[in-house]
Amino acid sequence: MDRLNSKLYLQNCYIMKENEKLRKKAQLLNQENQALLSELKQKLTKGSNPKNNAPNNNIPDLNLNSSSNANPSSSSN
């Protein structure tokens, strides 16, 4: 029984380590997406037709979906 517990404990440690790596990678990808979205919005704003002053609301706000990444260390592993 102790051997099984030790094996499961080591597997759990490995999974938690991999989970943390993936969480960090997701944060970096989210930051990159936000930077690219900001750049795209700037380009669209600069390139907009001066005759058309209506705001362009077709670009989604990715911050709405990033609440799960707001505090990644608070999740229980």
Side-chain angles (χ1 to χ4, degrees):
M1 189 67 164
D2 287 338
R3 185 176 175 192
L4 178 61
N5 282 342
S6 295
K7 184 178 179 181
L8 291 173
Y9 173 78
L10 290 174
Q11 286 178 342
N12 191 33
C13 289
Y14 173 77
I15 290 170
M16 288 190 302
K17 190 178 287 188
E18 288 297 311
N19 190 21
E20 188 61 30
K21 285 181 188 177
L22 290 172
R23 186 177 288 119
K24 288 178 181 178
K25 194 173 206 175
Q27 284 179 324
L28 290 173
L29 288 171
N30 186 42
Q31 289 174 355
E32 183 180 354
N33 282 343
Q34 292 298 323
L36 289 170
L37 181 63
S38 176
E39 185 180 330
L40 177 62
K41 284 182 178 180
Q42 287 177 356
K43 285 182 179 181
L44 287 175
T45 302
K46 288 179 182 177
S48 66
N49 190 348
K51 294 178 184 176
N52 184 7
N53 291 333
N56 187 354
N57 293 329
N58 295 333
I59 301 174
D61 186 2
L62 298 180
N63 286 325
L64 296 176
N65 296 330
S66 64
S67 61
S68 63
N69 291 338
N71 192 1
S73 62
S74 66
S75 64
S76 60
N77 290 334

